[in-house]
Amino acid sequence: MNGIPPGTAFEDLPPGWVCPMCYADKSRFDELE
Amino acid sequence: MAFGDAEILVFDGACGTNLQRMEIPPSAWNGREGCNEFLNLSAPAVIREWHSSFLSAGATVLETNTFGANAIVLAEYGLADRAAEINRAAVANAHEAIRRHGGAAHVAGAIGPTTKLPSLGHIAFEPMAAAFSEQARSLVEAGADALIVETCQDLLQVKIALVSCFETLDRMRRDVPVMVSLTIENTGTMLVGTDVAAALAAIEPFPVFSIGLNCATGPEGMLSHIRYLCRHYRGRVSCIPNAGIPQVRDGKTHYPLSPDAFAARLSSFVREEGVSIVGGCCGTTPEHIRKLRAALEGAVPARRTVEEKPSLSSLYQAAEIRQEIPPFLIGERCNANGSRRFRDLLLADDAQGALRVALDQQEDGAHAVDLCTAYAGRDEKADVETLARLFAQSVRIPMVIDSTTPECIEAALRIHPGRCLVNSVNLEDGGTNLERVCRLAKRYGAALIALTIHEKGMAMTVEEKVATARRIHDLAVHRYGLRPSDLLIDVLTFTIGSGDASLVDAAAETLAAVRRVKAELPGVFTLLGVSNVSFGLSPASRRVLNSVFLHEAVAAGLDAAIIDAAKVLPMAKIAEADREASLDLIHNRRREGADSPLSAFIGRFSARKTAQEEPGAGKNLPAVPPEEELAEKVVAGEKDGLPDLLSILLSRRPAASIINHLLVPAMRRVGDLFGRGEMLLPFVLQSAEVMKRSVDYLAPFMEKSEREEGRRILLATVAGDVHDIGKNLVDIILSNNGYRVVNLGIKVPAETIIEKARELGVDAIGLSGLLVKSALVMRENLPQFAAAGLRVPVLLGGAALTGKFVARECVPGYPGPVVYCADAFAGLSAMRGIDEGTLSSTVFVEAEETPAMIPGPRGTAVARDNPVPTPPFLGPRHVEGIDPGELFPYVNEQALFRGRWGYRRGKMTAAAYEDLVREKVRPMYEELKARSTKENLLAPKVAYGWFRAFAEGDTLAVEHDGRTWRFPFPRQKDPPHLCIADYFRTGEEGGDVAGFFVATVGEAVARATKELFAADRYHDYLMLHAFAVEVTDALAEYWHETMRRELGIEEDRPAATPGLPSPPASFSRYVVQEYRGSRYGFGYPACPDLGAHAAVFELLDPGRIGVTLTESMEMVPEQSTSAIVVHHPQAKYFSV
């Protein structure tokens, strides 16, 4: 999706990445477990 | 039949809005358009016809057309000298209408609020009182059966009106019922900020006939206030609402509530709440009153159980004298004779410093603040006037007027809008002064402290104390008309620390007298000046003895104490042996073979010298230098013992140095920790609270010029945006890092920002805004700033902003630096950039740019053959009384904990984060749930409906009541080019069904949130605000599910256990929309235009659940949300 290959690690997402569902940018994410 | 005999009084309806519809010849106005009162003279027939329309409708009381018939308002039309004539004519017109009608209605003389707010200093007591007295006299002379002081917006105005009315009636030797009707805005308070409890406390001491509400809202918006009055006020309660909250339609004001709905709601107030006076205000027609009269056929006002709460009040809030956990604490430090700090501030004419002393006590938990300005060589009256005015506006707790001079007491009572306590009277002169002050208390509705001092001196023994108390009680109650509950009897406290043999039993005598006064004079309150008991002893031991004595006195029945609230120790913090020694001293118990109780007591404390050894002041750790301790406290967010620590530091270095060299660097460390992800936002706020308290403590010790150091920044949420949490966080961080912040609030137009920036000569401007639209407003504001000649740096922050937008769209419009700030600390570093001369505009480096990401599902065409479910009904419905407990399972806890509260895992290990959540975050969440339930902070309500709808291209047409509303939805510019309208069938395809809802958790929680910010409780402020936002979202999720159930499409409900109702098994499946269809919030990515609210509000009438729109189409209260509900299975969130 958005030209990001499946399996890409979170750290490797480009800085401008946004969540394909909700538009949230990378800084909004927090590791769950 | 006398006015008050009828069980239910039905007042008439609107004046202004009905007169507007009548044909009034231009000659009648005679160039005074808008002065309805003038028509009493120039067009009596029109006024009689208006009265007559309400008599025919069944009104039993007519209000005279005299709302603005006082010299203050009439002066605006050049009619000030004709006020009496106009009032007399108005009464005659009403009487004539009744005579012609052959009825037996009564006439109430209406007294409006004028156009001035005395609490804000627009007008002084005397001129306003003169205008009200003249109006009251002429209305009564002309034969009005009652007076109604109505549409009251300012508590001081009410007080002035009541003092004037009762004085006038006294002088005329007439007994005419006087009614008070308050206007409580949508915000839940009167215009000036008074809540209903504060208003009741100030008004109920007056001999009024009734208290109630009129104007501002429809009946719905009045319910909670009416309930409060019905439950806590013994007299009659009136309710005279508008026909709903006015809306503007096609340029005309429109009142939405139909006569039927109005009558049904208001009659339920009579039958269910016990209201016994009803009528209509703005927008109510004769038809409203006819229906009301019909709905009240055979009605009897509900029996009320009234629990009176004798209280004092400030301009803002009430404080019950009978505290749930006694005693009522009166802060003693604003006393020129008792506090050196206060005296020095007074002598330096530093009113702001004096105010700070009052605010400190408020923060320390005082319930009221004593103010004594009597000091040799000063003008006591001038000082009390200055400070009473300042305290009245800025202190949230009530005021105690501490003076022995009746002129000074009266001056303060005329300035302070709330219910004050007067300190004090006694019988030293045989009762001359007592009579004067009792009459003042009666006249202004104040409470009174009475000391047991008589002609021969202070009462020392139990018998003497009780006898003097009884004499004062009998005079005050039987001769001067006060109520027992207006009195706080002080049976005097003497020191037991001096070694004076005649005083060894003084404390025990006092305690016994408290017990007997409570038993023998029912209804009176008792009070003591507690700290006298330990006069002459060392500071550390005084604190212990005072606290133990206070505890004993409360056990004896003490209601109130004058004491430094910060110095009261809880019993649990006092060592057992210290407590025993104190009790021995208080009760004069000598242990066998031991010294006197006093020697034993002094012996125990002789070794303790420094403040740090005082219980509660320090830790039992090896001493660290106080400089380091302060830094540690800031970083740890630890507030205990700050005053002691700061006072030690003050003996070592000047206040400014403590701030600049200790506190600011400590806060910088906090900012660094936050920036590195090692400190979470809630802890940052706790640190800021420590900083704030320290600075407040130090402020009086600084030169004025020192306090005005530090760059000044102006902060504003831009026009059209009501969101203030982000801006307030910036305020907190900047103001606690040495910058002076001017916070202009929300919805601030560019013109105001320019004006203030120029006036104050600020060093920077900070703009904030949550909405997408706000980013555009910022872009538009900047060229305006430039044109006005501003060049100072502008900092921009807000959810919808990006560095790219600021660099490309904002920077070019302004000649000074324009800087994007991603969070409050970015704002702080920008301010440091200004200090260091290194700040420059945000730039956006092309290389960083990555292809734009467009969220949303990808792929196939939208199916056109999706079956249309059948809705259970068509049109709008309103649902109230939803149990907040039902909503909690729908709260997105991850979003709350991590997103809004900032408890992010960041670099923590999973286990450490789990511990944090279990021990800190979740308990706080549970406590908030419990608190919000207990204090009724959440009142979930929904306006929703189902409507026939069909797509026309990108527009959805929605039909209701023979009208069509069109919702144009935007389409994505890039593939797959989604648009909400695509999920609906067209007319040719047979049409479709659409749902809408507006949901709110009410305004109580917004009010509670505001109070926390005002009290500098930053951490709790953020927690509660975020909690309310997420519960509002939970309500939307919950109601969306209810609507899917109504449509019969809940088959793929995400719950793990099929067939079971709430709670949802796994909330995460709701987050990813594992249910059928979608809801799209207005103002959110799929339909960002808030303009759609105009149509949504016409379809659903959410005014009935208390939600209204601002001119920029945002919903009020803030904790509200709206959406369109789409049933098409392919409909999911996307972004245009």
Side-chain angles (χ1 to χ4, degrees), chain B residues 4 44 51 226 265 308 535 561 578 619 667 718 754 902 904 918 952 1031 1034 1116:
Chain B
H51 280 315
I226 288 288
R265 205 66 193 109
E308 286 180 307
F535 195 75
D578 288 353
K619 304 169 221 154
M667 274 307 283
V718 296
I754 291 167
R904 299 164 65 87
R918 190 180 54 242
E952 289 174 333
V1031 175
V1116 177

Side-chain angles (χ1 to χ4, degrees), chain B residues 281-295:
Chain B
C281 200
C282 306
T284 54
T285 62
E287 193 54 22
H288 284 85
I289 300 303
R290 186 175 334 248
K291 294 282 188 184
L292 175 61
R293 187 72 200 269

Side-chain angles (χ1 to χ4, degrees), chain B residues 17-62:
Chain B
T17 51
N18 286 312
L19 287 180
Q20 277 162 22
R21 294 195 214 169
M22 298 175 73
E23 279 183 26
I24 296 167
S27 60
W29 292 111
N30 195 16
R32 297 188 173 93
E33 275 75 9
C35 184
N36 290 336
E37 294 78 8
F38 185 61
L39 300 177
N40 288 311
L41 299 176
S42 64
V46 172
I47 300 304
R48 286 197 298 265
E49 184 191 335
W50 162 67
H51 280 315
S52 177
S53 67
F54 282 109
L55 287 171
S56 305
T60 64
V61 182
L62 294 181

Side-chain angles (χ1 to χ4, degrees), chain B residues 28 80 258 360 452 602 608 736 791 817 895 907 963 1010 1050:
Chain B
S258 71
D360 280 352
T452 53
I602 292 172
R608 303 183 208 170
N736 286 300
R791 296 294 179 269
K907 293 173 185 165
R963 278 183 66 192
K1010 234 180 240 164
E1050 85 277 32

